[in-house]
Amino acid sequence: MARSPYLPRRTGVGPMPVGHHGSYIAFIHPILLSFARTYSPSPPSPLPQQLLRLADENSKMDYVYGPGRNHLFVPGPVNIPDPVIRAMSRQNEDYRSPAVPALTKTLLEDVKKIFKTTTGTPFLFPTTGTGAWESALTNTLSPGDRIVSFSLGQFSLLWIDQQQRLNFQVDVVESDWGHGADLGALETKLSQDAAHTIKAVCIVHNETATGVTNDLHAVRKLLDAYRHPALLLVDGVSSICALDFRMDEWGVDVALTGSQKALSLPTGLGIVCASPRALEASKTAKSVRVFFDWKDYLKFYKMGTYWPYTPSIQLLYGLRAGLDLIFEEGLDNVIKRHTRLGTATRMAVEAWGLKNCTQKEENFSDTVTAVVVPPYIDSAEIVKHAWKRYNLSLGLGLNKVAGKVFRIGHLGNLNELQLLGCLSGVEMVLKDVGYPVKLGSGVAAAAAYLSNATPLIPSRI
């Protein structure tokens, strides 16, 4: 059967080209290629020539089909469970109808459970973690406020950049990448701040670039020891719903996460939870905010309609399905599963003779492992080769560790056999790029551990 000239040979949209017509090209370029080549072999005007050229350039970066499933093992976005995909496959709805507020009410009640709070107030923003950062900062602080923020990887670095651009006075506490937050430096600052000029302490719970998890309870104990009133603001983007997180018990004032991480949804929801102290601080905070203003949400909460602007109906139903899956497994069981997957991954890395970027065991992350490669190997080539040959997606090394580490994400709706498939793929890639790995060594180490540590699936007992 002859192929229709209206059908593109590839599907998907690659990165948007730069230029006056860029957004248009990014949307229509697959159809444009087929149409232009079929019906306009010699375009009469400059515009079609430009469109064709840009479409050709863009097609080179288009998604390319590979047999089977893509093995997605970056530390977010993660695999989306089939029940979540089915839940999101629905038409738009009127968000002012009785159905959507009723759905939203249950979501707000249940989201509090993943933060382990009974007193916090959650907000569901149509944004990413970056937007959630901004919401946490601008609703609780005023320009010029002094804050302490820990720099220990790419994402803590980006949050600090945002803090500075929002005109806060940021005391940056530096740590070498691969190390945890320097709590000794924090203690020194608290001990010297009798006037309580520090208004907030900002920390990334789980630094995704290096696979470092920080001790939030220790931060809270320091604040309490010095009876310091600074707010504790926590980025839990790659930790909440995967690592142990206790908002109320640890005295976290604002916590935030993103839908594309352990919740296993598409990107698009920034979820923020504010303590009563944070809500009180928002009443006097003078930072400019509009889209992320908690006050607007609280007004609509009281009205019972919940939304100051149009939400993504599909993401709300996806969140409902995702939370149901987490609660069916049990949040504590989800956390234990991530502990198993993180432990198994580290055992595989050790069996390969490679090192973990994280320097101390107490900081090992159970959602991502950053693997240090020998100096003669560019880790970016490992990531590229994995995708090109085995349809395996691994995380790149970022910024200071670019070319030095690759990252294995093991978070979200993921099980032991999926992880073993990833580890097998990594071994083949390592061998391909010239590292003397013994095939099966890491898989054997991980499998030996998992065969003893993996319990029966609770719903099938």
Side-chain angles (χ1 to χ4, degrees):
M1 180 182 295
R3 184 183 181 87
S4 168
Y6 295 98
L7 294 176
R9 294 187 179 277
R10 296 176 181 173
T11 58
V13 175
M16 185 180 294
V18 177
H20 181 69
H21 301 284
S23 60
Y24 181 63
I25 293 295
F27 180 73
I28 59 97
H29 80 85
I31 298 175
L32 174 70
L33 274 175
S34 179
F35 183 88
R37 286 170 177 160
T38 303
Y39 294 102
S40 303
S42 300
S45 67
L47 181 58
Q49 291 277 15
Q50 182 190 25
L51 293 177
L52 184 60
R53 175 177 57 79
L54 288 174
D56 274 322
E57 290 174 358
N58 208 34
S59 69
K60 295 174 184 176
M61 302 189 72
D62 202 0
Y63 177 80
V64 180
Y65 167 74
R69 297 192 65 169
N70 172 251
H71 299 272
L72 183 60
F73 283 86
V74 297
V78 303
N79 298 280
I80 303 174
D82 289 338
V84 172
I85 292 175
R86 290 194 293 270
M88 293 189 300
S89 181
R90 61 194 311 123
Q91 284 288 350
N92 282 327
E93 296 179 23
D94 176 11
Y95 73 97
R96 293 187 177 92
S97 73
V100 174
L103 170 63
T104 304
K105 185 174 187 293
T106 69
L107 292 175
L108 293 174
E109 291 170 350
D110 283 347
V111 157
K112 292 168 67 172
K113 298 174 186 176
I114 67 174
F115 289 92
K116 292 192 175 177
T117 179
T118 58
T119 61
T121 299
F123 302 93
L124 307 176
F125 289 103
T127 186
T128 64
T130 304
W133 281 346
E134 187 169 331
S135 174
L137 295 168
T138 57
N139 280 280
T140 57
L141 300 167
S142 299
D145 277 353
R146 182 186 177 196
I147 60 180
V148 176
S149 199
F150 298 93
S151 175
L152 44 92
Q154 178 66 7
F155 296 95
S156 55
L157 191 67
L158 290 172
W159 199 14
I160 288 169
D161 175 65
Q162 185 186 77
Q163 293 157 15
Q164 293 170 333
R165 290 162 70 181
L166 289 168
N167 296 317
F168 302 120
Q169 178 189 337
V170 186
D171 289 13
V172 179
V173 177
E174 299 274 0
S175 293
D176 290 337
W177 287 29
H179 291 268
D182 185 349
L183 299 188
L186 174 63
E187 183 170 13
T188 299
K189 289 180 180 295
L190 294 176
S191 68
Q192 296 173 349
D193 188 35
H196 296 162
T197 61
I198 298 171
K199 301 303 180 184
V201 174
C202 299
I203 186 168
V204 174
H205 187 197
N206 189 75
E207 174 52 70
T208 320
T210 56
V212 167
T213 301
N214 288 302
D215 188 345
L216 300 181
H217 190 204
V219 177
R220 169 45 62 193
K221 285 195 291 186
L222 280 176
L223 288 166
D224 290 348
Y226 288 94
R227 297 184 178 181
H228 202 290
L231 296 171
L232 178 54
L233 310 185
V234 176
D235 169 344
V237 169
S238 62
S239 66
I240 291 170
C241 266
L243 307 182
D244 188 19
F245 188 91
R246 311 175 194 182
M247 183 169 177
D248 285 355
E249 185 177 332
W250 294 342
V252 175
D253 289 297
V254 185
L256 59 96
T257 190
S259 55
Q260 79 279 13
K261 300 286 187 172
L263 279 166
S264 300
L265 297 170
T267 307
L269 283 179
I271 304 174
V272 178
C273 198
S275 73
R277 281 210 320 146
L279 289 180
E280 192 63 29
S282 72
K283 296 176 182 178
T284 56
K286 293 181 172 55
S287 293
V288 174
R289 67 263 190 190
V290 179
F291 186 78
F292 297 119
D293 198 338
W294 296 349
K295 183 174 62 178
D296 291 346
Y297 271 76
L298 293 172
K299 180 175 71 175
F300 281 85
Y301 286 2
K302 289 180 181 178
M303 293 169 57
T305 52
Y306 294 100
W307 292 102
Y309 37 66
T310 309
S312 167
I313 299 300
Q314 290 76 14
L315 279 175
L316 295 184
Y317 280 103
L319 178 59
R320 179 68 271 161
L323 290 171
D324 289 344
L325 292 176
I326 289 168
F327 297 148
E328 182 177 353
E329 184 178 357
L331 181 56
D332 289 341
N333 289 331
V334 171
I335 294 168
K336 289 176 183 176
R337 172 166 55 78
H338 281 86
T339 300
R340 290 194 302 274
L341 298 178
T343 301
T345 303
R346 292 188 291 272
M347 294 180 78
V349 172
E350 184 178 354
W352 297 331
L354 296 173
K355 299 294 184 182
N356 194 322
C357 181
T358 307
Q359 299 299 301
K360 294 183 178 179
E361 185 175 349
E362 66 198 53
N363 296 122
F364 284 165
S365 169
D366 287 329
T367 59
V368 56
T369 299
V371 184
V372 180
V373 299
Y376 61 88
I377 294 176
D378 180 355
S379 66
E381 289 302 312
I382 290 175
V383 176
K384 183 191 299 184
H385 188 78
W387 184 81
K388 291 178 71 174
R389 187 169 192 183
Y390 300 114
N391 205 7
L392 170 63
S393 295
L394 301 170
L396 286 164
L398 302 173
N399 201 321
K400 291 183 181 181
V401 293
K404 300 176 182 178
V405 309
F406 67 93
R407 295 174 298 149
I408 303 173
H410 33 83
L411 74 160
N413 193 271
L414 183 72
N415 64 32
E416 291 78 4
L417 293 187
Q418 286 174 284
L419 177 66
L420 291 174
C422 167
L423 298 177
S424 176
V426 172
E427 288 183 357
M428 292 190 289
V429 174
L430 289 172
K431 185 174 178 62
D432 290 349
V433 299
Y435 180 73
V437 65
K438 180 182 178 182
L439 291 179
S441 58
V443 174
Y449 163 74
L450 291 172
S451 65
N452 290 316
T454 304
L456 294 175
I457 298 170
S459 62
R460 300 181 184 182
I461 297 175

